Amino acid sequence: MEDPVQLKEEGNKYFQSNDYDKAIESYSKALNLIKDKKILAVLYRNRSACFLKKENYIQAATDASKAIDVDGSDIKALYRRCQALEKLGKLDQAFKDVQRCATLEPNNRTFRETLHRLGTDIQEKLRVQFSTDSRVQKMFEILLDPNSEKEKREKAANNLIVLGREDAGAERIFQSNGVNLLLQLVETKDPELVISAVRTLSGMCAGHRARATAVLHLVGFNRICSIMAVDNEEIALATCNLVQNIVDSLTEEDKKDHGKADALVLDTKKDLKMITTHLLDMLASKKVSGHGRDQALNLLNKNIPRKNLKDKDHSKSLFVIDTGLKKILKVLGQVPELPNCLPLTVNTRINASVLVNRLYDDLRCDPERDNFRTICEEYITGTFDPKNMEKNLHAIQTVSGILQGPFDLGNKLLSMQGVMEMMVALTGSENEIDQLVAVEALIHASTKLSRASFFITNGVSMLKEIYKKTKNEKIKIRALVGLCKLGSAGGTDYALRQFAEGSTDKLAKQCRKWLCNPSIDIQTRKWAVEGLAYLTLDADVKDEFVEDEEALRAMFELSKTSDKTVLYSVATTLVNCTNSYEVKEVIPELVQLAKFSKQHVPEQHPKDKKDFVMKRVKRLLKADVISALACMVKADSAILTDQTKEQLARVFLALCDDPKDRGTIVAQGGGKAMIPLALEGTDVGKTKASHGLAKIAAVSNPDIAFPGERVYEVIRPLVSLLNTERDGMQNFEALLGLTNLAAKSDKLRQKIIKEKALPEIENYMFENHEQIRQAATECMCNLVVNKEVQERFLAEGNDRLKLVVLLCSEEDDIKLQRAAAGALAVLTSSQKKLCLKMTEVTSQWMEILQRLCLNEDLHVQHRGVVIANNLISADKELAKKMVESEMLEILTVIGKQEEDPRKLHIIAVARDALVKCLEYGLIKPVS
C-alpha cells in the first residue's frame, strides 16, 4: 500500500518541476488514503495551487475552500481562493479573502497591493454597472418618446443594439425590464424601432442558452412569428436572425461555456419542436407575407435536415415530413397569377423546392422514401378535380415544384395516372394561366434524356404551337425555353443534336434578344437565361454568346438582383461556356470497339477544343464575370444550394487555369469569394474550389489575395488537397500555395501545423514525381523556422533529418537541392543538437556538405557554407572533425576569394567559420 506522506512529497517534487498533472495525481491519491484533517487541508491547499497553474479556477477555488473549512486562518489557502475567485470575475468574494489575509499579516506587501487593486476594480465595476443601467433607461426613454428628435432616436437604437451584443450589456438590459420595453418598441409598428428591438433581442440571445430560453418564453414564439410575418423584408430578415440565434443557443451550437447558468435551463427539445411547428404553420397561412414565408423556409432549410449525413439522428426531418410536408407542398402548388394565391416573393417556391429536396435526401431507407412519395401522391391526387380547373392547376404546379427538387421523386409522380394527360390538356387550353403552368411543368419534366425523348415526339409540336399562337411574352419565352431544353437533350454530344442545323442558333439569338430587353420584367428575362443554360451545351451557341458582351453583362446584372432563382441557370451557363462540366475520359480502344459493334460514340464539337475554351475564358473575364460570381456567392439564401455552389466552384477553377489571369481574378475579389465554396457544399465542389484557391495562393501575395483574417481560412482547403485521392496537379499546387503562405508569418505556419499538414508534406518529400517532391521540400524549408517543426526533427526514432541531408545531394534537381539545403541551414542555425544529429544520420554527411560548399549555384553554395559554419559554431569536437577534413581547405579557398559582389555574403560566412576555428585554437593565423 502506498504511503500518503510519500505521495505528498512526490507531488511537491512534481510541482517544483512544473509537472502539474502528475502533482495533481499524487495529491489526489494521498487524499484518498488519509484521514488526518490537518494533512488533508495541506493536500487540498497544494492541489489548489496546481489547479491555479493549470488555469482551472473553479477547481482551484473548491480545493482552497476545503482547506479553509479545516482551518479558517490558513493564509495560503485564503490567498489561493482569492486568486481563483478574481479570475472567475467574483471580485467581491475575492476582496473578502484578501482582506482576511491582510488582517492576519498586515505587513505582507503582496496582500496590501492585491487589496488595493481589487478595491479599485470593484469601484470601477460598480461605476460601469450603474452607468450602464442609467444608459439603458435613458435609451428606452428616448426611443419610447414620440416627440424625441429623429437623430437622437437613431443613435439610441444603434447604441441599444451594440449593448445587446455584449454579454454584460445584454445582462443589464435583461435585468432592467428590457424585454418588456423592447416589446413596447415593437408595438409602435414603426419599422425602424421594430428592427432595432428585434436586433437587440437577437444580440441578447446569441450564445447564451439561459437568456435565449427566457426571451423565447417572455416574448412568446407566436409574437415572434407575427413580427416575421410582416410585409417588410428587413424586419423579416432581422426576426429570422433572432430565431436562428435562439435555436443555436438552445442546441448549443454556439459552443460557449456559460458556467452554472446553463444548469437552470430545462430540456430544450420541447421548445425546438414548438418552434418547428410554428414555422410550418406560417407556410400555409394567408396572414404571412412573402418575405416572412421565405424566412420561415430558410430557417427550416437551415435547421431541419442533417448537416452531416454520418449523423444517425434524422428525427427532425421525419417530424417535419409527418406534420408539415403537405404545408410545404401547398406553397409549391401556388400559382402567383391566381387571385387567391398565398403572398409570395419570386424566391418562395424555389425555397420550398430546395426544402423538399433536402428533406428527401435526409431520408435513410426505402420505406421512409416510400412514405414521402405516398404523402406527395395523396396530396396531388386529392387536388385533382375534373370540374375544377383551378385545383388541377395547383396539382400540376406542385409536380412542377417537386421536379425542381428531388428529381427521381418528380419522375415517379409524372408517371401517376392523369398527370401527363392533365399537362397536355392544360397546354391546349385557351386560358393563358393554364398554358403558363403547363409549359413550366413541361420544361421541368424534360430534364433527363429518356424523358426528353418522350417529349420530343409528343411535346415539341405543342410547344411550337403555343410559341406561334400566343401574344403573351411570358408564355412565349417559356415555350421557347421548353424548345431549348428539348433541343439540348443530347448534351455536349455533337452527333446527338436533336434539331436541324441552325435551329439552336436561332433559339439562342431569341433568348439573347429577350435577355437584353430591359422593358421585359425580370421574372420573364430569367427564363431567357434558363434557355441559354441548355443551349450553351452547343459549342456554336456558347461561342456566339461570349462574343455578345451586352448579353453577358445583362446576365451578370440579372444575377445580382433580388430574384435568386436565376443563380443556378447563370452558374450552369458559365459552366458550359468554360467547359468545366464533368467529361468522361475517352479510352481509344473502347471507341474502336464501339465503332466495330456499331454502338454510338460521343463526338466532340471542334469549338470545344482547348484554344477555343481559353478564348471564351478571356472574354468572360473582360466582361467582369468575377464580380458577378462574387455577388452570387454572397447570396445568403437556401437557393444557393450545394449544387449551385459546385457549379460556381467549377467556373472559378476554369477561370484560374491561366496564371496570367490570376492577378485580374485577385484584383476583382475572386480569391476571397472562393473561400466559402471550399468550406461548404458537395465534395466535388469543395475540391474544385480548393484547387482554385491553391492556384491563386501559389502565385499571389496572400495579403492582397486574402486580406485580413481570411488568409487563415485558406489553409484548411489547401491541406484537404494533400491526400492520395487527389490528383498530382492538385497535390503540387496545394504544396506551392502552402509554401507561399508558410513564408508569410509564424501564425500561418502554426495554422498549417494545427491542420495536421506536416505528416502529409513529409510523405510528399518521398514522392517519386520530381516536381511534387521539390514542392514538398520547399514547403518544409519555409516551415522549419517554426519551433514545433524543429522539435519533430529533434525527436528520436525518425528519418526526417536524414531525408533532408540526402536530398541535399540531389544535384540533378537544383530547386530541390536549394530547398533541402535551405531547410538544413535553418535547422542547424536554430538547434545545436541537430548539428550533432546531422553527423549521425548518414556516413555521407561530410561528402554531401563539401559538395554543397563547392556547388556552382550560388544559392546552394551559400546554404552549404552556412551549414558548415553552424556545425563549427555548435561544438569544438565537430569543428575539429571539419578542420581535419578537406572542409578547411574549401572554406579557406572561399574565404580568400576576391571581393566579388555576387559572393560577398558567402565569403563573409566562410570567414566567420575560419575565425571560430581560430578561437578554438584548431588553426593558426598565417602572416
Side-chain angles (χ1 to χ4, degrees):
M1 192 174 167
E2 289 176 292
D3 179 14
V5 177
Q6 197 178 332
L7 283 167
K8 178 171 113 29
E9 294 305 320
E10 197 179 88
N12 293 349
K13 281 178 188 172
Y14 284 131
F15 183 84
Q16 282 157 9
S17 60
N18 301 333
D19 192 343
Y20 305 119
D21 287 319
K22 285 196 174 170
I24 289 168
E25 198 181 317
S26 298
Y27 294 140
S28 301
K29 280 182 186 174
L31 282 164
N32 292 330
L33 298 171
I34 209 148
K35 294 282 187 288
D36 187 315
K37 283 194 173 183
K38 283 190 176 177
I39 300 175
L40 274 174
V42 172
L43 287 167
Y44 278 124
R45 187 177 72 202
N46 290 0
R47 197 170 72 171
S48 172
C50 295
F51 284 124
L52 268 178
K53 292 286 185 185
K54 283 178 64 64
E55 297 180 10
N56 183 346
Y57 301 118
I58 293 173
Q59 198 59 51
T62 306
D63 275 5
S65 296
K66 286 176 181 173
I68 294 161
D69 288 345
V70 176
D71 178 4
S73 303
D74 188 333
I75 203 156
K76 284 185 180 177
L78 281 164
Y79 190 63
R80 277 168 198 164
R81 188 169 72 176
C82 158
Q83 288 174 296
L85 290 169
E86 184 187 353
K87 291 289 184 185
L88 291 167
K90 298 176 180 179
L91 301 185
D92 47 346
Q93 292 176 39
F95 184 81
K96 284 178 187 171
D97 279 347
V98 77
Q99 200 172 34
R100 177 102 176 100
C101 291
T103 308
L104 292 166
E105 279 188 25
N107 298 326
N108 188 310
R109 190 178 166 187
T110 305
F111 296 160
R112 289 206 312 273
E113 283 176 358
T114 308
L115 190 66
H116 180 261
R117 179 169 49 76
L118 283 175
T120 310
D121 289 350
I122 289 168
Q123 289 299 318
E124 178 60 20
K125 190 178 176 183
L126 288 169
R127 189 188 66 74
V128 169
Q129 189 171 316
F130 288 126
S131 67
T132 305
D133 285 353
S134 59
R135 272 167 60 211
V136 169
Q137 290 302 329
K138 191 144 195 185
M139 282 178 215
F140 280 118
E141 281 168 23
I142 293 167
L143 289 168
L144 291 167
D145 179 4
N147 301 318
S148 57
E149 295 168 28
K150 191 185 177 193
E151 202 174 316
K152 273 189 176 178
R153 288 179 86 174
E154 280 177 8
K155 194 176 176 184
N158 288 333
N159 287 343
L160 200 60
I161 294 165
V162 171
L163 205 61
R165 286 176 187 156
E166 297 165 5
D167 197 51
E171 200 53 43
R172 295 322 309 159
I173 295 171
F174 193 79
Q175 300 295 345
S176 311
N177 191 32
V179 176
N180 285 323
L181 293 169
L182 288 166
L183 286 176
Q184 286 179 41
L185 291 182
V186 172
E187 294 304 320
T188 63
K189 301 279 193 288
D190 179 327
E192 285 182 15
L193 292 181
V194 173
I195 289 167
S196 299
V198 171
R199 284 180 180 162
T200 306
L201 285 168
S202 187
M204 289 166 67
C205 294
H208 200 293
R209 196 171 171 193
R211 213 160 37 227
T213 309
V215 167
L216 177 64
H217 291 284
L218 284 169
V219 177
F221 201 69
N222 268 332
R223 190 178 293 187
I224 293 173
C225 288
S226 67
I227 300 168
M228 192 156 71
V230 173
D231 191 14
N232 180 308
E233 190 174 0
E234 236 183 313
I235 291 175
L237 184 60
T239 316
C240 172
N241 289 335
L242 164 62
V243 176
Q244 190 59 54
N245 281 344
I246 291 172
V247 170
D248 285 348
S249 296
L250 294 182
T251 53
E252 295 178 312
E253 287 285 314
D254 53 284
K255 302 283 184 249
K256 285 184 191 170
D257 181 25
H258 310 300
K260 290 185 179 177
D262 273 357
L264 307 173
V265 181
L266 298 168
D267 181 25
T268 56
K269 284 182 182 173
K270 200 182 281 185
D271 285 337
L272 291 166
K273 195 170 263 192
M274 177 267 291
I275 290 171
T276 306
T277 307
H278 275 79
L279 291 174
L280 288 168
D281 289 342
M282 283 183 77
L283 299 185
S285 168
K286 273 202 161 185
K287 293 176 183 174
V288 177
S289 70
H291 296 301
R293 210 176 312 280
D294 276 358
Q295 297 308 335
L297 284 163
N298 278 338
L299 285 163
L300 291 165
N301 257 313
K302 196 169 181 184
N303 298 294
I304 301 303
R306 289 170 292 170
K307 290 180 177 69
N308 185 351
L309 292 178
K310 288 177 184 172
D311 295 342
K312 290 188 177 177
D313 182 18
H314 66 319
S315 55
K316 290 190 282 186
S317 288
L318 295 178
F319 174 74
V320 167
I321 290 163
D322 289 339
T323 60
L325 181 55
K326 289 188 176 177
K327 290 169 185 171
I328 303 166
L329 294 175
K330 184 175 179 179
V331 176
L332 280 183
Q334 294 304 300
V335 181
E337 290 76 13
L338 291 177
N340 63 348
C341 176
L342 293 172
L344 306 174
T345 70
V346 289
N347 297 320
T348 309
R349 286 188 64 248
I350 195 76
N351 268 327
S353 289
V354 170
L355 178 56
V356 169
N357 189 40
R358 294 196 64 205
L359 290 170
Y360 191 71
D361 284 348
D362 204 36
L363 299 177
R364 292 175 57 194
C365 58
D366 286 341
E368 289 175 358
R369 283 184 273 273
D370 289 341
N371 174 53
F372 194 102
R373 192 188 73 245
T374 305
I375 294 170
C376 293
E377 284 176 354
E378 285 172 1
Y379 182 82
I380 291 160
T381 49
T383 316
F384 275 145
D385 185 349
K387 295 174 187 173
N388 187 335
M389 197 49 99
E390 195 175 300
K391 281 190 172 182
N392 295 335
L393 271 183
H394 284 302
I396 297 302
Q397 188 80 324
T398 307
V399 174
S400 187
I402 293 169
L403 282 163
Q404 292 175 77
F407 188 79
D408 294 341
L409 173 65
N411 252 345
K412 285 174 183 167
L413 297 176
L414 278 177
S415 58
M416 278 167 58
Q417 192 180 354
V419 173
M420 292 301 303
E421 293 81 352
M422 185 53 66
M423 280 165 71
V424 172
L426 290 172
T427 312
S429 165
E430 293 297 314
N431 186 326
E432 288 188 342
I433 296 174
D434 294 354
Q435 287 182 12
L436 202 66
V437 170
V439 172
E440 277 193 30
L442 278 171
I443 292 166
H444 297 310
S446 55
T447 296
K448 290 261 174 91
L449 181 56
S450 58
R451 182 66 54 188
S453 55
F454 166 81
F455 283 115
I456 285 162
T457 50
N458 298 285
V460 171
S461 54
M462 289 190 289
L463 289 170
K464 280 184 177 174
E465 194 69 23
I466 291 172
Y467 184 71
K468 284 175 191 169
K469 278 186 179 179
T470 185
K471 299 278 189 293
N472 186 326
E473 288 279 341
K474 289 182 179 181
I475 297 171
K476 207 175 187 73
I477 199 164
R478 283 164 174 78
L480 180 87
V481 171
L483 291 168
C484 294
K485 199 167 183 180
L486 299 172
S488 63
T492 55
D493 189 345
Y494 187 46
L496 265 186
R497 295 197 291 181
Q498 302 290 339
F499 294 159
E501 190 81 42
S503 295
T504 45
D505 293 344
K506 283 179 191 170
L507 291 171
K509 276 177 189 161
Q510 186 58 58
C511 281
R512 298 208 311 268
K513 190 176 161 189
W514 270 320
L515 180 59
C516 297
N517 186 348
S519 63
I520 299 174
D521 66 287
I522 288 173
Q523 272 67 53
T524 308
R525 283 165 66 206
K526 81 170 186 204
W527 281 98
V529 183
E530 181 98 3
L532 287 166
Y534 299 110
L535 292 175
T536 46
L537 285 164
D538 184 297
D540 288 320
V541 171
K542 54 183 136 183
D543 232 43
E544 279 184 36
F545 180 50
V546 295
E547 292 298 322
D548 186 346
E549 198 163 322
E550 188 191 354
L552 279 178
R553 290 191 183 278
M555 181 174 81
F556 296 156
E557 286 308 310
L558 210 54
S559 72
K560 295 173 186 175
T561 61
S562 60
D563 183 353
K564 298 302 174 194
T565 55
V566 77
L567 294 184
Y568 188 75
S569 304
V570 174
T572 305
T573 306
L574 291 171
V575 164
N576 294 341
C577 290
T578 54
N579 282 42
S580 47
Y581 38 70
E582 212 65 59
V583 179
K584 284 183 183 173
E585 191 184 346
V586 177
I587 300 162
E589 291 83 358
L590 289 179
V591 171
Q592 292 303 318
L593 192 64
K595 282 180 179 173
F596 178 74
S597 58
K598 295 183 180 174
Q599 295 293 317
H600 172 70
V601 178
E603 287 179 33
Q604 188 187 35
H605 194 293
K607 288 184 180 175
D608 274 331
K609 288 181 178 158
K610 186 152 188 183
D611 51 342
F612 281 96
V613 177
M614 292 305 290
K615 280 180 195 167
R616 290 200 287 270
V617 165
K618 306 283 181 200
R619 294 288 306 177
L620 287 169
L621 286 167
K622 191 183 170 192
D624 202 17
V625 66
I626 297 296
S627 67
L629 289 169
C631 191
M632 289 162 77
V633 170
K634 285 178 192 163
D636 183 24
S637 163
I639 294 169
L640 188 66
T641 58
D642 287 351
Q643 285 71 27
T644 309
K645 287 177 189 170
E646 183 185 314
Q647 299 289 68
L648 294 174
R650 286 176 182 277
V651 178
F652 266 123
L653 180 57
L655 296 172
C656 293
D657 198 46
D658 186 349
K660 292 175 192 165
D661 295 330
R662 293 176 199 169
T664 310
I665 292 165
V666 167
Q668 294 175 1
K672 52 185 185 243
M674 263 187 274
I675 296 171
L677 298 176
L679 297 171
E680 289 180 358
T682 64
D683 288 341
V684 172
K686 288 192 285 190
T687 303
K688 300 273 181 198
S690 299
H691 194 186
L693 283 173
K695 285 178 183 286
I696 295 286
V699 297
S700 310
N701 179 345
D703 295 336
I704 297 168
F706 315 109
E709 296 295 305
R710 283 200 179 94
V711 69
Y712 297 101
E713 295 176 50
V714 177
I715 288 165
R716 184 172 295 171
L718 297 196
V719 174
S720 74
L721 296 176
L722 300 183
N723 73 54
T724 47
E725 289 176 17
R726 306 284 166 252
D727 63 44
M729 185 55 82
Q730 290 170 338
N731 299 156
F732 175 64
E733 292 187 311
L735 287 165
L736 290 185
L738 289 169
T739 303
N740 198 7
L741 294 172
K744 287 305 292 180
S745 71
D746 202 56
K747 241 180 137 184
L748 280 168
R749 289 189 281 274
Q750 206 61 46
K751 177 71 174 164
I752 292 170
I753 296 161
K754 196 178 174 187
E755 291 296 341
K756 299 185 173 67
L758 281 180
E760 301 298 341
I761 296 165
E762 286 167 357
N763 286 342
Y764 286 114
M765 287 169 73
F766 288 97
E767 179 66 48
N768 288 329
H769 193 289
E770 286 179 15
Q771 285 177 294
I772 293 177
R773 187 174 58 196
Q774 173 204 313
T777 311
E778 285 175 351
C779 190
M780 186 57 76
C781 179
N782 286 348
L783 286 169
V784 291
V785 183
N786 181 274
K787 289 275 182 285
E788 202 172 320
V789 180
Q790 291 165 16
E791 293 295 330
R792 285 173 74 88
F793 279 87
L794 277 167
E796 294 299 321
N798 68 74
D799 288 333
R800 292 186 184 98
L801 190 64
K802 183 178 181 178
L803 175 64
V804 174
V805 175
L806 293 174
L807 288 175
C808 288
S809 64
E810 292 281 341
E811 291 179 1
D812 296 338
D813 187 342
I814 197 69
K815 285 187 176 176
L816 174 63
Q817 196 178 24
R818 275 184 197 172
L824 197 54
V826 172
L827 287 167
T828 50
S829 297
S830 311
Q831 300 282 349
K832 285 189 179 180
K833 287 180 185 174
L834 287 173
C835 296
L836 296 165
K837 190 174 178 180
M838 177 185 157
T839 63
E840 296 162 6
V841 291
T842 172
S843 57
Q844 299 167 309
W845 70 273
M846 183 70 81
E847 186 190 336
I848 292 168
L849 184 55
Q850 288 169 1
R851 285 190 178 184
L852 287 179
C853 293
L854 293 168
N855 203 290
E856 289 175 8
D857 183 272
L858 294 182
H859 294 288
V860 174
Q861 189 184 26
H862 179 229
R863 288 161 168 78
V865 176
V866 167
I867 296 164
N869 184 32
N870 291 340
L871 265 61
I872 288 166
S873 303
D875 183 71
K876 187 176 178 180
E877 284 302 311
L878 202 48
K880 192 177 176 186
K881 273 187 196 175
M882 305 270 280
V883 168
E884 288 167 356
S885 72
E886 290 170 21
M887 201 71 220
L888 177 61
E889 193 180 331
I890 294 167
L891 289 171
T892 307
V893 169
I894 296 169
K896 285 183 176 179
Q897 279 179 340
E898 289 178 27
E899 301 284 317
D900 181 343
R902 294 180 309 124
K903 296 184 178 179
L904 286 177
H905 56 305
I906 302 171
I907 296 166
V909 179
R911 288 175 182 173
D912 285 348
L914 292 167
V915 167
K916 192 71 186 172
C917 291
L918 272 171
E919 288 172 9
Y920 284 145
L922 298 173
I923 58 172
K924 290 177 183 176
V926 178
S927 58

